[in-house]
Amino acid sequence: MAATFLVLGLSSGAIAATVTNAGSGAVVLVVVENGNRMEVSIDAGSSEKICPSGCFVTLPNGDRVGLEGGEIIEIKDGAATIH
């Protein structure tokens, strides 16, 4: 699967994106927000809120996605579905 690049406008009033790990093992996301890089680990069956100010996320399968905040993301087997 080719890397996906989404460039979305960043709005100051955005709410955080919610990421749910629907897989059977922990996943690690690389998040770049306001120029700061961090790794976010999400255990199987858990959810985390990320990117309240917008960010770019590298998913476990290597895809890169731009987020505004407010998205709902489900990760399963390294791939993500974004709503």
Side-chain angles (χ1 to χ4, degrees):
M1 177 188 276
T4 302
F5 294 92
L6 297 176
V7 179
L8 302 173
L10 303 178
S11 62
S12 60
I15 58 172
T18 302
V19 182
T20 301
N21 179 1
S24 59
V27 296
V28 176
L29 307 177
V30 177
V31 178
V32 178
E33 185 173 12
N34 297 324
N36 298 311
R37 181 186 183 277
M38 67 183 120
E39 292 185 352
V40 176
S41 179
I42 305 173
D43 291 330
S46 295
S47 295
E48 292 288 332
K49 295 211 178 269
I50 62 171
C51 305
S53 300
C55 67
F56 290 93
V57 177
T58 302
L59 302 168
N61 66 355
D63 284 355
R64 286 182 218 119
V65 180
L67 301 175
E68 274 186 359
E71 295 88 353
I72 297 172
I73 302 127
E74 180 178 291
I75 299 175
K76 187 170 185 179
D77 301 325
T81 303
I82 302 173
H83 305 277

